[in-house]
Amino acid sequence: MPRRSLSLLIPALLALAAAPVSGQNLEELLVQVGQEYAEAYTTPLIHGFGANQNSGLYHTANIPRSRLTWSVGIKFMGTYLDEGDQTFRRVLEDVELNDYLGLEPGDPGYGERGDIVLQGPTVFGDKDTNGTATAYINGAPVYSQETIPGLVDTRWVPLFAPEATVGGIMGLRATVRWLPEIDFSNFGKTKYLGYGLQWSPSFLFNNLPVDVMVGFFMQDIDLGTMVQTEAESYYIAASKGFGPTTVYGGLSAESSNMKVDYVEEETQTPVKFDIDGKMKSRLTLGATFNLGVKLNAEMGIGKMVVYTAGIMFGM
């Protein structure tokens, strides 16, 4: 893992947890906008969180056949967004302006049809800049209103996951990720649960030149009461030890999804939608160093690049 990328993970975690300048969290911002705006605003959230959740799922393919092993530790993941993920622009063509802008009698464009341009910072955009919703009739702007600012101004989307493993019987190893409900100022009360199972066919074949395994992992993160992310990964991996160092790699098929459900504050309109994450598959390359405690670093390469570092205690 590049030194610069690793050094940025911890500051990014602190930025993600810090309170926004506006004093508003994700839920307080979302209730101010409708579905079209919210979808564009939150899409980078699942791209980053989904890729992170499906990272750091293993650090070796070696699973003993008949010796119980265990470990506890923590993984830190960071996904680097494209610069374009910090802003958005969405055009709604030939719509009832009243339905989207809450116009009142006397407002320009009231009762008319036209186009609406929604644009501004996304959830990871500028916290000091508000977005806008502008109505156009026959190509001419007739009405504009400010919307919401970004929440956390960063291109690094970090995540951390405490985890515990137990295994060694019949080539099986189980992993659990869990985070109790914690109040992050930006995202509200957040909780995290994930579980997975790995199996090594080395249990049946003793003379393979490398250790191999297959596995799956399922995870959920609740961000307050309005946003829930889900992620799952199915993978095959191999590793080989060289003294205190183990190098490993793997291929995975994965998916992630974010569900959003709330009521728009001004109009009391129910808003409910879901968005799929960008990562569908990845190549993972990494190394684990056994120095009494195990330290590992890896890179996941797909439509996005994810960096992971971890520390584990156990046997």
Side-chain angles (χ1 to χ4, degrees):
M1 183 178 186
R3 182 179 299 176
R4 180 175 180 272
S5 300
L6 180 59
S7 67
L8 287 173
L9 274 179
I10 300 303
L13 281 167
L14 296 176
L16 196 65
V21 172
S22 66
Q24 294 178 300
N25 62 30
L26 180 61
E27 295 187 351
E28 292 167 335
L29 292 171
L30 285 181
V31 296
Q32 300 177 46
V33 297
Q35 179 170 330
E36 296 283 353
Y37 197 102
E39 286 182 4
Y41 183 80
T42 58
T43 292
L45 185 63
I46 186 56
H47 290 338
F49 268 46
N52 284 340
Q53 285 174 267
N54 284 323
S55 300
L57 304 182
Y58 51 87
H59 57 273
T60 178
N62 177 258
I63 305 176
R65 290 182 293 167
S66 57
R67 176 173 61 85
L68 186 66
T69 62
W70 62 272
S71 70
V72 293
I74 188 168
K75 299 287 180 66
F76 299 92
M77 310 81 148
T79 299
Y80 197 58
L81 298 174
D82 294 331
E83 186 176 0
D85 287 324
Q86 291 191 286
T87 60
F88 75 92
R89 186 177 188 271
R90 178 172 291 192
V91 179
L92 311 179
E93 297 182 342
D94 192 25
V95 297
E96 291 282 352
L97 302 183
N98 293 9
D99 293 343
Y100 291 89
L101 297 177
L103 300 179
E104 298 180 355
D107 287 336
Y110 178 80
E112 301 281 347
R113 295 186 68 86
D115 301 334
I116 297 176
V117 177
L118 308 174
Q119 58 186 354
T122 67
V123 63
F124 293 119
D126 188 348
K127 297 184 295 183
D128 299 321
T129 300
N130 289 332
T132 58
T134 305
Y136 292 80
I137 297 178
N138 296 324
V142 297
Y143 182 85
S144 184
Q145 65 184 32
E146 286 194 344
T147 53
I148 58 178
L151 183 64
V152 182
D153 189 356
T154 181
R155 290 176 64 184
W156 273 100
V157 182
L159 184 68
F160 68 95
E163 67 176 37
T165 70
V166 61
I169 305 302
M170 298 182 65
L172 293 169
R173 177 165 55 216
T175 303
V176 174
R177 287 179 171 177
W178 178 72
L179 192 65
E181 190 171 81
I182 295 176
D183 191 358
F184 287 103
S185 297
N186 288 304
F187 295 100
K189 293 183 178 179
T190 299
K191 56 184 177 181
Y192 187 169
L193 177 63
Y195 61 89
L197 188 66
Q198 302 165 355
W199 178 72
S200 173
S202 300
F203 167 66
L204 300 175
F205 307 101
N206 297 325
N207 298 319
L208 296 177
V210 295
D211 295 306
V212 295
M213 72 172 183
V214 294
F216 74 90
F217 216 98
M218 309 285 186
Q219 300 174 76
D220 294 304
I221 298 180
D222 292 339
L223 301 172
T225 60
M226 299 179 183
V227 180
Q228 180 187 52
T229 70
E230 301 174 345
E232 61 181 45
S233 177
Y234 299 88
Y235 52 85
I236 181 170
S239 70
K240 187 169 183 63
F242 299 94
T245 301
T246 298
V247 294
Y248 63 91
L251 295 171
S252 67
E254 63 186 73
S255 64
S256 58
N257 179 269
M258 177 178 67
K259 293 179 173 60
V260 179
D261 190 351
Y262 67 94
V263 176
E264 188 181 356
E265 193 171 58
E266 183 175 349
T267 64
Q268 291 299 296
T269 302
V271 175
K272 189 173 184 178
F273 62 89
D274 64 274
I275 303 171
D276 290 332
K278 188 183 295 185
M279 289 277 277
K280 304 300 181 185
S281 62
R282 78 173 68 193
L283 167 68
T284 297
L285 300 172
T288 300
F289 310 96
N290 191 344
L291 306 174
V293 299
K294 294 183 177 69
L295 305 175
N296 90 291
E298 72 176 41
M299 182 168 60
I301 305 167
K303 287 187 176 180
M304 307 174 77
V305 178
V306 189
Y307 300 99
T308 304
I311 181 170
M312 293 142 286
F313 304 87
M315 55 179 293

